[in-house]
Amino acid sequence: MDSIRNKYRLKDLGKLFSGLSGKSGDDFNQEDNPNNRGFIPFTNIANNTYLKKDHLGTVVINPGEKQNKVRKGDLFFLMSSEGYGDIGKTAVLADDIDEAYLNSFCKGYRVNQNKCNPYFLNYLLSSVCYREILKVEGKGFTRINLKIEKVNNFEVIIPSIESQNIITNYIDEKTQAIDKKVTLLEQKIETYKKLKNTIIAKAVTQGISNQELSINDLGFKTPANWTKYRLKDLGKLFSGLSGKSGDDFNQEDNPNNRGFIPFTNIANNTYLKKDHLGTVIINPGEKQNKVRKGDLFFLMSSEGYGDIGKTAVLADDIDEAYLNSFCKGYRVNQNKCNPYFLNYLLLSNIYRQRLIVEGKGFTRINLKMEKVTDFEIFLPPTLSEQQDIANYIDHKTTTIDGIVSNIGKQIDTLKLLRKTLINDVVTGKIKVVK
């Protein structure tokens, strides 16, 4: 295989095009609309290397409507994201699709296939070294955005088409074996997560003492002596940080640094601890809402329905810490309700589904404060019973969490192997022969 590589800007190898425009939430994922066409969501680009037919949603495209269609071999760039982890991420369409369109957070990139193999280019842009170079071009605070000219002028070094084809086939073969192992481990994790969810759901709706159950007015079974409350009867919502810019966060050695709870740590945890904090500058005399042990936090705005309304509870005493602006804090009246029990209750599938449907939006899903404050739940009559249930769930789920964590480490090792393989092959560190 040849060792000659040439430098190009991406605008020399293809052309960017826009995703959908002029659409509202009502245009997506309608059932049985004769004008439904394929639609590639943001999340499917974030989560995949190759995009296939079964990765599509639907969007209504009316007769005569002018939108950019995608086609096999097109790459897609994530141009806007909540964090640096996804910004600039690419995926490539690997199937022939009669008619499909791209979400508005992304740009399509049509490769001149006489100059470059799109599947090789996707692997190249997914490699560690190129991802790091492109990520630093993202700018923003509440959202990270990537400008079109940064993509167009992005430089890549590529070998001949023949070499690209050989490298792509080699990476496909090696990564498919790794991906198969990862998929099996992920299936194990899902099995354990379902078990955990079942334990939580049963405990927070039926208790743990074999009480007689009856159908409540929300439509599911609870003990007869449990009482219905709205969340505003049990505590009070408060706001996260306001008036901050990106420069205020995670500075090193600033004497005004204080603890800060990011969106992602609420999305990814049940209990929040001291080691989950970032830092934010709080100037002397600045008025912001501090968090404290036992506070719950609601995700009020998200890119999808999976996270909206998700809660976590602060389990540690922290001298001074603050909450991100995408969330609301909820201070529980602990004379009425145990916050750790309440957090488990709100994480249970039966209550999660009731809250998720209150989220509304298209480019972002948002949850209104009144939907949270008026949210109805059933509670055991005594604080001691609530604490017993929370302790029971802690005990039952700790073992499951340990198993899931160990499987997760195996997955991380395989994914690191995959990344290293791709990086070393596309950059020429590992030589591939025919």
Side-chain angles (χ1 to χ4, degrees):
M1 194 173 73
D2 69 80
S3 59
I4 299 172
R5 290 174 176 249
N6 295 304
K7 183 191 290 186
Y8 296 90
R9 293 172 299 178
L10 288 182
K11 66 183 178 182
D12 301 325
L13 297 172
K15 187 176 180 181
L16 286 173
F17 61 90
S18 297
L20 288 162
S21 61
K23 292 296 178 184
S24 71
D26 293 336
D27 293 315
F28 293 85
N29 300 320
Q30 288 188 17
E31 291 185 8
D32 303 321
N33 190 308
N35 293 319
N36 275 345
R37 300 294 183 267
F39 163 69
I40 301 174
F42 174 101
T43 50
N44 287 350
I45 297 167
N47 296 333
N48 294 283
T49 300
Y50 289 138
L51 296 177
K52 305 291 183 74
K53 289 178 181 178
D54 58 2
H55 292 148
L56 301 184
T58 64
V59 61
V60 175
I61 302 292
N62 295 309
E65 185 174 345
K66 293 189 181 299
Q67 301 279 0
N68 291 317
K69 295 179 185 178
V70 301
R71 66 189 188 202
K72 183 178 180 180
D74 285 346
L75 270 70
F76 309 112
F77 284 84
L78 298 186
M79 303 294 285
S80 182
S81 178
E82 287 180 344
Y84 283 95
D86 286 332
I87 198 71
K89 163 78 171 59
T90 62
V92 62
L93 184 58
D95 281 351
D96 277 313
I97 298 173
D98 289 338
E99 189 175 348
Y101 301 86
L102 179 62
N103 74 84
S104 59
F105 278 120
C106 296
K107 295 291 182 186
Y109 179 75
R110 187 148 294 153
V111 182
N112 180 339
Q113 296 191 30
N114 293 317
K115 293 183 176 181
C116 186
N117 179 319
Y119 309 103
F120 169 83
L121 184 59
N122 187 54
Y123 277 133
L124 185 82
L125 293 170
S126 300
S127 66
V128 175
C129 60
Y130 279 98
R131 287 285 297 124
E132 291 303 315
I133 295 169
L134 191 55
K135 267 196 272 187
V136 299
E137 301 294 351
K139 306 296 177 188
F141 168 47
T142 56
R143 287 194 71 82
I144 310 302
N145 297 295
L146 189 59
K147 291 183 178 179
I148 290 174
E149 59 265 29
K150 297 297 185 182
V151 177
N152 272 327
N153 291 320
F154 191 70
E155 293 181 335
V156 296
I157 299 173
I158 61 175
S160 67
I161 280 281
E162 181 185 5
S163 295
Q164 292 174 39
N165 295 339
I166 293 168
I167 289 169
T168 300
N169 292 335
Y170 177 85
I171 295 174
D172 281 346
E173 180 184 348
K174 296 296 183 181
T175 57
Q176 283 167 13
I178 296 171
D179 292 344
K180 186 175 181 180
K181 292 177 182 178
V182 168
T183 298
L184 291 172
L185 291 171
E186 288 175 340
Q187 288 170 351
K188 283 187 179 181
I189 284 180
E190 285 306 307
T191 299
Y192 281 111
K193 283 184 174 179
K194 286 178 182 177
L195 175 60
K196 179 179 178 178
N197 288 336
T198 300
I199 291 168
I200 292 171
K202 185 175 180 181
V204 298
T205 58
Q206 299 181 17
I208 56 175
S209 56
N210 297 317
Q211 301 175 66
E212 184 177 346
L213 306 175
S214 60
I215 297 288
N216 63 39
D217 60 6
L218 297 181
F220 55 90
K221 289 184 178 182
T222 49
N225 65 338
W226 286 25
T227 304
K228 184 170 73 174
Y229 294 91
R230 295 170 300 178
L231 287 183
K232 65 183 176 185
D233 301 325
L234 299 171
K236 187 176 181 181
L237 285 176
F238 61 89
S239 296
L241 288 162
S242 61
K244 292 295 177 185
S245 71
D247 293 337
D248 294 315
F249 293 86
N250 300 319
Q251 286 194 15
E252 291 185 10
D253 303 322
N254 191 303
N256 293 319
N257 276 345
R258 300 294 182 268
F260 164 68
I261 300 174
F263 174 101
T264 50
N265 287 349
I266 296 166
N268 296 333
N269 293 284
T270 300
Y271 290 129
L272 296 177
K273 305 291 183 72
K274 290 178 181 178
D275 58 3
H276 292 150
L277 301 185
T279 64
V280 61
I281 294 171
I282 302 294
N283 295 309
E286 185 175 344
K287 294 190 180 299
Q288 300 278 3
N289 292 317
K290 297 179 185 178
V291 301
R292 65 188 188 201
K293 184 178 179 180
D295 284 346
L296 271 70
F297 309 112
F298 284 85
L299 299 185
M300 304 293 286
S301 182
S302 177
E303 288 181 344
Y305 282 96
D307 287 332
I308 198 72
K310 163 75 170 60
T311 61
V313 62
L314 185 57
D316 282 352
D317 278 313
I318 298 173
D319 288 338
E320 189 176 348
Y322 300 85
L323 180 62
N324 74 84
S325 59
F326 279 118
C327 296
K328 295 291 182 185
Y330 178 74
R331 187 147 295 153
V332 182
N333 180 340
Q334 296 192 31
N335 293 317
K336 293 183 176 180
C337 182
N338 180 293
Y340 308 104
F341 170 83
L342 181 60
N343 188 53
Y344 275 131
L345 181 145
L346 293 168
L347 291 173
S348 68
N349 284 341
I350 195 162
Y351 283 105
R352 283 283 298 129
Q353 293 308 312
R354 293 179 65 84
L355 194 53
I356 283 171
V357 298
E358 302 294 351
K360 306 296 178 188
F362 166 48
T363 56
R364 286 194 70 82
I365 310 302
N366 297 294
L367 191 59
K368 292 183 177 179
M369 285 180 63
E370 59 265 28
K371 297 298 184 181
V372 176
T373 55
D374 290 334
F375 191 69
E376 294 179 327
I377 62 171
F378 276 83
L379 282 185
T382 66
L383 289 170
S384 62
E385 185 176 355
Q386 295 172 31
Q387 183 65 64
D388 288 345
I389 294 171
N391 291 342
Y392 169 85
I393 296 172
D394 284 343
H395 175 71
K396 289 289 187 180
T397 59
T398 296
T399 301
I400 295 173
D401 290 342
I403 294 170
V404 168
S405 177
N406 286 334
I407 297 173
K409 290 174 183 175
Q410 296 175 53
I411 291 173
D412 288 343
T413 299
L414 287 168
K415 287 184 174 180
L416 179 60
L417 174 62
R418 189 184 196 277
K419 282 183 180 179
T420 303
L421 172 73
I422 292 171
N423 187 76
D424 290 353
V425 172
V426 297
T427 58
K429 290 182 182 177
I430 294 176
K431 302 297 181 185
V432 179
V433 294
K434 229 173 185 178

